[in-house]
Every structure is written in structure tokens, then in C-alpha cells.
Amino acid sequence: MLLKVGQLAKKVCLSVRTLHHYDDIGLLSPSVRSEAGHRLYNTSDISRLHRIQALKQLGISLQKIAGLLQDHSTQLPDIIAQQILRLDQEIEQAVQLKTKLQLLQRNLHTGHKPDINNWLDTLALMNIYEKYLTPEEIEAINHYAIAARQELERDWPDMVKQLQHFVDQKIPPGNKEVRTFIIRWTEMFERLTGHNPNLLLKVYAMSRNEIAMQVQRGITPLMTKYLVEAMGQLHRHIFTQYLSPEQMQQLDKNRQRHQDTWPSLIETLREKMNSGVSSTSDEVKPLARQWKTLYESSVTGGDPDITERLRLAYEREPLLIQGTGLDQTLFQFIRQAIMSL
């Protein structure tokens, strides 16, 4: 059987445009050319079209279909099995979403109406949350946010406005008023994550990487940058109580280096520690070397006296680790890892 494009389109209930598109992208082209120059589809082409449509109905993209058709080792029953597995996963995710929506519905019925301006808008940000947090962690975030609901509704909009004011007016990040603000800001995030450094780091990563999250919270990239600078200035103010003026000069010269590298390194080391990996294992050693190199090049300059003074500062000053995802348990893990190098 040989068919022109219009004839084939009519028989299989497809548009001519669709068949032309398949031809343009090299997915299905007529194999026969008549004496009059017409391009015709033969039985083999029709069989290939049936396979394309079957795969397309299973939700597979045309790009992937092209690869599957070239890979003759991939059989249709195997593809169907993969699609069934994917559907099972989607069903599981849908059940989890249903559970969360039921929780939201219960909260609404009990008067716990979420503020559209707060960062825990469960419905709008569900897909983002699923990328970074386990169902248990999302449940915990909901619990902490409900507990702090009045604080969020009362204080969060004003804090965002105050932060915007600092940025707009170019208030120096080291200003005393800004230091007071940043302490309050990190305290709120500590409470909203249950003082759990693991959860705090995940929320920070989510906030840092997701533009939609920043928009939902009313935080611009410029405001985020200002927060980082203000946190650094708060730490600097504390360090002046432990370091000499000359040592502070050394610290100031190095502190801005590799600033963007620390968050991901802290997250990775904490993940290793939480998963039970030994601090002296080969898996941790490259991370310990990276920490040691970064700390010497961007903090202490390799000065052992500065290193010891900063160790004391981090042990005695809770504000140095508030809102950072660091704690003494992680510090001990890192020290043991570095000592084993």
C-alpha cells in the first residue's frame, strides 16, 4: 500500500501539518517516490507511524521517540513497563500532594489561613518544596510555620520593608541598626526551621536557587546580597573582640574570597555527617582538604594564632553560627577530618 500525505493523514486521523512536522524533524519520511515525483508512504512507513503514535500516547517526547526508534534493542513492552513505573511514581506524588492539601484544608477550617505574602504559601510553592525537601521536612516546615503564624503575619512584611529601606537608602551593612536587624532575621529563620541546621541549609539553598521563591517572599537578589554582607559585618564586629587590629586587617583582606563556595561545602559536609560517614573516611578527605584550603586562604591567611582565636570565638559566641547551618557537632566532625589528613 502506497499513500500520499493527505491520504495517510485522513486514514489515521492526523493533520497533514503533523506529518510534515514529522518529516521535517527526520522522525518519519516517505520512503517511496512515484514516477510523477510524489512522495509516498509505504507499509513500513505506516508501521513506523503506528509505533510513533503509540509512544507519543504514552507521554514520551518526540525527541526521545526518535532515539528509541534508532535503538532497536529497546522493545515496546519494555517501554510500556517504564511508563507504568513512571505513572506509579506520579500516583505516589499525587497521594502526597493530596495529603498536604488536606492538611492545608484542615488549617483553613480551624482559622489558620496562610498569608499570601509569606514564604510558606504551600500551594504556589509546592513544586519547589518537593525539589529540596522530603515529605517529612515539608510537614515539619508546615508545623513550625503554623506555630509562628502570628509572628509571620505581624512581623514578616515589616521586616521585608525594613530590609528594602536599608538597600534603597544604601545604609552600610555594618550599621548598628542593621546588626540588630540581622540578628532578628536569623532568629526568625532558626525558629521557622525548628533550630534544625539541616533543614535550615535546605531552606537557604531553596531560597538562593529559586527565583519564584524569592519573588514569593518579596526578596530581590540585591536584598539577598545585602543580607549576606550584613551577616558578614555582624561576624566582623564579633571578631574584633578576639583579634588585634593587625589581625583584623589580615582577616578583612581575605574574607571576601571564595564567599560563594562556603554554603555548598557546609551542606555537603553536613550531609556526609548525617548519613553516618566517618570523618576520617576517604569520602570526606577531599572535602576536608577543600575546607582547610578555603579557611586558610579566605579567613586566617594561614596564621595559627588567628586560627586559635577564631576557634575560641566560634565556641563562645552563638551569634557566629546563628542562621548559618553550622554547629559545634559539625565543627568537631570537620576538625577530626582535617586532623586525619
Side-chain angles (χ1 to χ4, degrees):
M1 177 183 291
L2 297 176
L3 297 172
K4 295 180 180 179
V5 63
Q7 293 172 322
L8 178 60
K10 184 176 181 179
K11 285 184 177 292
V12 298
C13 298
L14 288 175
S15 67
V16 172
R17 175 180 290 185
T18 296
L19 292 175
H20 281 161
H21 178 62
Y22 289 173
D23 189 7
D24 291 339
I25 64 175
L27 189 60
L28 175 68
S29 300
S31 298
V32 179
R33 188 176 293 276
S34 69
E35 293 181 358
H38 297 297
R39 301 177 67 196
L40 305 173
Y41 293 88
N42 61 17
T43 302
S44 177
D45 297 329
I46 296 170
S47 175
R48 182 180 175 91
L49 177 60
H50 286 171
R51 188 174 176 84
I52 291 168
Q53 292 304 106
L55 292 171
K56 190 170 180 288
Q57 289 174 3
L58 289 171
I60 301 175
S61 69
L62 294 180
Q63 182 179 7
K64 189 171 182 180
I65 289 173
L68 291 172
L69 292 178
Q70 290 179 354
D71 182 7
H72 299 293
S73 65
T74 304
Q75 300 300 315
L76 187 57
D78 295 332
I79 297 170
I80 294 174
Q82 292 173 8
Q83 290 304 109
I84 291 174
L85 177 61
R86 183 177 66 82
L87 288 171
D88 286 339
Q89 293 170 343
E90 290 178 355
I91 290 170
E92 182 179 354
Q93 291 172 356
V95 170
Q96 292 175 358
L97 175 58
K98 179 182 176 181
T99 301
K100 294 176 180 64
L101 291 176
Q102 288 173 332
L103 173 64
L104 179 62
Q105 186 179 51
R106 289 197 300 271
N107 292 336
L108 291 172
H109 286 325
T110 56
H112 293 147
K113 184 178 179 180
D115 187 333
I116 193 65
N117 293 317
N118 84 52
W119 61 277
L120 193 70
D121 188 85
T122 308
L123 294 176
L125 300 177
M126 184 61 67
N127 288 336
I128 295 176
Y129 273 57
E130 294 285 355
K131 286 170 59 178
Y132 293 86
L133 305 174
T134 67
E136 294 75 19
E137 288 169 335
I138 294 175
E139 201 74 26
I141 287 284
N142 274 280
H143 172 76
Y144 299 136
I146 290 171
R149 179 177 62 89
Q150 290 184 348
E151 180 183 18
L152 279 171
E153 293 177 354
R154 183 187 69 243
D155 297 342
W156 178 258
D158 289 339
M159 291 183 70
V160 172
K161 288 179 183 177
Q162 189 173 7
L163 176 58
Q164 184 67 65
H165 169 75
F166 290 148
V167 173
D168 291 343
Q169 298 301 315
K170 295 182 171 54
I171 306 296
N175 178 278
K176 183 178 180 180
E177 184 183 3
V178 177
R179 291 204 303 269
T180 301
F181 172 83
I182 204 69
I183 292 171
R184 185 180 168 209
W185 182 278
T186 53
E187 282 176 347
M188 176 175 282
F189 267 87
E190 289 273 8
R191 285 194 295 276
L192 290 173
T193 54
H195 299 278
N196 182 331
N198 308 316
L199 193 52
L200 180 72
L201 285 172
K202 288 189 176 185
V203 169
Y204 275 168
M206 182 167 58
S207 302
R208 188 172 62 246
N209 298 335
E210 301 292 340
I211 299 299
M213 187 75 170
Q214 296 172 15
V215 171
Q216 185 71 20
R217 291 169 51 210
I219 307 298
T220 66
L222 194 60
M223 293 161 73
T224 300
K225 181 181 178 182
Y226 185 89
L227 283 170
V228 173
E229 293 173 353
M231 178 83 81
Q233 288 300 315
L234 171 64
H235 291 177
R236 184 188 186 283
H237 177 72
I238 297 172
F239 290 149
T240 58
Q241 303 171 45
Y242 290 83
L243 302 178
S244 69
E246 293 76 19
Q247 289 173 327
M248 283 303 303
Q249 288 182 358
Q250 176 74 19
L251 186 68
D252 289 337
K253 184 175 71 174
N254 297 315
R255 283 182 69 228
Q256 299 302 317
R257 300 174 63 187
H258 312 296
Q259 195 172 37
D260 295 336
T261 308
W262 285 108
S264 60
L265 181 57
I266 293 172
E267 291 167 19
T268 304
L269 279 163
R270 182 165 285 284
E271 287 174 2
K272 298 297 181 185
M273 182 182 72
N274 291 337
S275 63
V277 176
S278 170
S279 60
T280 60
S281 68
D282 291 340
E283 192 174 342
V284 173
K285 284 182 179 178
L287 299 172
R289 289 192 190 95
Q290 184 183 5
W291 182 284
K292 185 173 185 293
T293 300
L294 283 175
Y295 195 66
E296 289 178 351
S297 64
S298 62
V299 181
T300 68
D303 187 319
D305 186 43
I306 294 179
T307 301
E308 177 59 20
R309 287 170 181 257
L310 291 182
R311 184 187 66 79
L312 290 174
Y314 275 102
E315 285 183 357
R316 297 173 180 175
E317 304 291 341
L319 287 178
L320 286 176
I321 59 176
Q322 179 174 290
T324 64
L326 294 167
D327 58 17
Q328 296 304 326
T329 303
L330 181 59
F331 278 136
Q332 183 63 24
F333 181 84
I334 293 167
R335 290 191 193 104
Q336 291 173 349
I338 292 175
M339 289 174 62
S340 69
L341 294 177

